[in-house]
Every structure is written in C-alpha cells, then in structure tokens.
Amino acid sequence: MNRNHADVIIIGGGIIGCAIAYNLAKRDIKPLLIDKATAVGTEASWAGAGILTSHATTHEPYPTLCRASLALYPTLAEELRAETQIDIEFIQSGTLSVFFNEAEAAGLIGLADRRVKRGFSAEVLTPEGAWQLEPALSKSIAGAVLFPEDAQVRNPKMVIALAKAAAQLGAQFLLGNPVTNFIRDSEYEGERVIGVVVNGETVYANTFVIAAGCWAGTLTAQLDVPIQIGPAKGQIVLVEAMPPPFRHIVDGLGIYIVPRADGKILLGATVEYVGYDKTATVDGAKQMIDAGIAIAPQLAHSTFVQTWAGLRPYAKNGPLLGHLPGYDNVVLASGHFKNGILLAPITGQLIAELLTTGQPSLSLEPFQPVRT
C-alpha cells in the first residue's frame, strides 16, 4: 500500500474485520483496516464471553457455517500462538446445559436425541451424573445434557492476535479515525466506490469491506443501501472464586456461566434492544447473579469483580455476508449477533476467498445482504 491507496480497505477493527485482514494477508493481499477506535476489538469483540457452541442438528446453511467455523479453531489457535506468541486460550471445555423441570427437560433431551441420531455428540445426564462432573451445581437440578465439543476462547486476546498476525504479514492499520464519507466513481456504469474519506483525506482502494458491527448500517446508508443492522445490548457480570468451582461452561435459566483459565467466572448475558446504550445496570447484573446462584448456590460467596455491557450487531436474517446490493466492489460482513466470536474464523476465510478467487468454499448465497 502506498500512502493513499490499498488493495482492500476494511472498515471495522473488531474480530470480524481483523479475521478478514488476517486471511487476506495470508493470501498476499495487504489490506488497510480502518476503525474509529484507537485500538482493535474495543466493542462487541471485547465485551463477549468467548463461547463457541453450535447445538443445531440440521444441515441448514447457518448451522453448517457455525460448525465449519468451530472446526477451524484448534488449528487457528496453534497458528496464532506460533505466529504471535499469544495464547488465545482456546479450551474445549464442553457445555453442561442444566434443567430444573419437565418442560426444560423435554426440550434439551429432545435436542440431545436428535443430535445423536444425526451423528452429532450429546449426552443426557442424571442429576447424579451432572453433580459428578460439576459438584457445585444446585441440588435442585433435574438433570443436564453434556455437549462435549463446545469450547471457549479469550476473545480480547484473539482479536489482538489476529491483528498482530495480519500486521506481520503486511496488513496496515489506521486507528482512531472514522470513515466519514465514501467517494464514488461517477463515470462507472452502475455503482462503484473508489475511496473513503478519513480525517479529511481520501484513501483509495480497489475493494471495500464493511465489517463495522452494529454501526455497519450507518455506513451502508451513506451508499444509499439501507440495511437493518442494529445494536443488541448484552450485559455480563465477572466474579472470582478460588478454587474455581467449574470446569465446563454451564448454561441454564437463560444464562451461561463461563469459567476462565485465570480463575474468574463470567455470568451472561442479557439481550436488550435499547439502542446504542452500553450502560451497565443494577437490574441487568441482578438478573445474571440471581440465575447464577440458582444454578450454583456457592456463587453467592464469590467475589464480585465488575460488570460491563457491549452491543452485538443484530440483523433479522443475519449474518450478512457478501456484496452490497448494487455494488460489485463493496462487501458487507456483519450481523453476526451472538455468534461473532464463533463465526470469525469462517467469516474471515470466506470473505477472503470471495475477494481473491470469487469462489468461497461455502456458498454465501443464503447470507446475501438485501436492501431493507
């Protein structure tokens, strides 16, 4: 890239943008990643819990995408460790989904049965079997289902590792400066972007990727393509208990409990459609804490560390992956909602394949952005 020109400009420095930058750089395309924040991964990519789960039993496009991305993680974790010396803390801890009554049991046991019949893993456990795996679980549980292939990752470390690896391969970063406008080619038949305005200066490129999370819709609107991608607030509570009471991810009562490698425990997360408000509230924290204590009473004696909230990018038919309607050189990669961390590896790979060969290894047709 020279001072004012790049092969590809990526707008958005979260885990999706950084995964795309890394995958492009591995293919000898040196992108320029632009973000309004002064560091990568400061929004949803930092705020998430790093859970990597895919429990669906069908071969529909979305579950297939999720499973394909989860399968990339073991190799990617080793790759990033070798290239950057950063341990992204990929741990295949499995998930224990607990149930307390017959209605919850029916849903989870039915899911487990379908998974086993279709060749996926799941194990139905009695209360005694669940307590054997996790003695801290409440004596009120009626049973649990174990999903052994589920995993977790330390998402802030992963974003930094992806960015560092991409930079080592020639990707460049322009941080702390928002894209304020697009420059279009008035002589081109149809619509084509030739540059973006950053801090009053135009930076040109051949191709553009919009990976700006829940802000992506404001950027597509500047290109006269309304795409409904909005914020879905999620609040998480962080506590600490020594010795750590859990080895597995535990979910139930509408929350998840994630034991981290450093001994801290995440309780999350709310889903609130309150606009671009990241305020952490007492009510949100109370919901997480009450449910956590109901699942594992000894959490009442854990040390409260902090609470925070982030804004997930929600699109009704998300994720949205592919060319922006009407543009042959603008690609959208957003709307991952709760699964941005899970889907980052496959999104990075598929968008890089789309831009370099035009032939992604999984069809992006089901995820094509449409005007809304």
Side-chain angles (χ1 to χ4, degrees):
M1 190 196 88
N2 64 33
R3 193 173 71 85
N4 290 100
H5 189 278
D7 293 328
V8 178
I9 285 177
I10 301 166
I11 306 170
I15 197 166
I16 299 298
C18 289
I20 295 168
Y22 175 57
N23 277 271
L24 284 170
K26 284 203 298 183
R27 291 162 173 79
D28 295 322
I29 303 292
K30 295 175 173 53
L32 170 65
L33 186 148
I34 303 172
D35 196 277
K36 65 182 186 297
T38 55
V40 295
T42 60
E43 293 290 348
S45 303
W46 173 87
I51 297 174
L52 311 175
T53 65
S54 178
H55 295 169
T57 62
T58 71
H59 292 281
E60 294 294 314
Y62 185 63
T64 298
L65 191 73
C66 291
R67 285 191 289 268
S69 202
L70 182 56
L72 293 174
Y73 258 99
T75 300
L76 178 60
E78 288 306 315
E79 218 173 74
L80 291 174
R81 187 201 301 264
E83 293 172 12
T84 68
Q85 290 71 57
I86 296 173
D87 178 9
I88 66 171
E89 297 180 24
F90 172 77
I91 303 169
Q92 199 163 30
S93 54
T95 296
L96 204 57
S97 294
V98 299
F99 49 84
F100 288 82
N101 55 51
E102 289 184 11
E104 293 174 347
L108 276 168
I109 292 171
L111 173 61
D113 288 344
R114 290 193 301 276
R115 282 184 63 83
V116 171
K117 285 174 183 172
R118 293 170 184 173
F120 303 113
S121 61
E123 183 183 355
V124 178
L125 301 174
T126 62
E128 291 75 17
W131 294 324
Q132 190 169 3
L133 290 180
E134 295 292 1
L137 290 173
S138 167
K139 299 305 177 186
S140 299
I141 66 167
V145 172
L146 175 64
F147 299 96
E149 294 175 14
D150 289 355
Q152 59 172 288
V153 70
R154 192 71 173 271
N155 34 297
K157 287 188 173 185
M158 182 172 169
V159 185
I160 293 168
L162 286 167
K164 183 177 179 181
Q168 289 173 177
L169 292 169
Q172 297 196 30
F173 293 78
L174 181 56
L175 304 176
N177 292 278
V179 168
T180 54
N181 203 2
F182 292 90
I183 306 299
R184 289 181 259 190
D185 185 353
S186 59
E187 297 179 5
Y188 183 77
E189 292 182 13
E191 292 285 4
R192 189 172 182 84
V193 174
I194 59 171
V196 295
V197 178
V198 182
N199 200 22
E201 185 176 351
T202 300
V203 186
Y204 297 92
N206 303 323
T207 308
F208 301 81
V209 179
I210 298 174
C214 62
W215 291 272
T218 62
L219 292 167
T220 69
Q222 291 183 39
L223 295 171
D224 304 315
V225 182
I227 303 280
Q228 293 299 315
I229 300 173
K233 175 177 159 183
Q235 185 169 343
I236 285 177
V237 171
L238 184 68
V239 302
E240 187 171 19
M242 293 301 288
F246 297 108
R247 293 182 299 112
H248 301 77
I249 299 165
V250 177
D251 71 24
L253 301 179
I255 72 155
Y256 51 71
I257 301 171
V258 185
R260 290 197 325 203
D262 63 3
K264 293 185 173 63
I265 303 158
L266 294 169
L267 311 177
T270 62
V271 179
E272 307 168 58
Y273 298 97
V274 292
Y276 291 90
D277 175 9
K278 291 194 295 182
T279 306
T281 64
V282 171
D283 182 58
K286 184 175 184 298
Q287 289 177 45
M288 301 300 101
I289 292 167
D290 287 349
I293 291 171
I295 292 170
Q298 77 179 63
L299 285 177
H301 306 291
S302 62
T303 301
F304 178 85
V305 179
Q306 68 180 120
T307 185
W308 65 82
L311 301 176
R312 312 175 187 92
Y314 173 75
K316 185 177 180 181
N317 298 310
L320 304 177
L321 310 171
H323 283 98
L324 197 65
Y327 291 84
D328 65 4
N329 73 329
V330 181
V331 166
L332 180 62
S334 185
H336 294 77
F337 193 32
K338 295 181 178 182
N339 281 330
I341 310 300
L342 170 64
L343 290 171
I346 197 67
T347 300
Q349 176 184 307
L350 295 176
I351 296 300
E353 289 170 349
L354 175 67
L355 297 183
T356 55
T357 71
Q359 296 293 324
S361 49
L362 283 176
S363 173
L364 292 180
E365 191 60 37
F367 309 106
Q368 279 304 122
V370 295
R371 294 174 185 266
T372 52

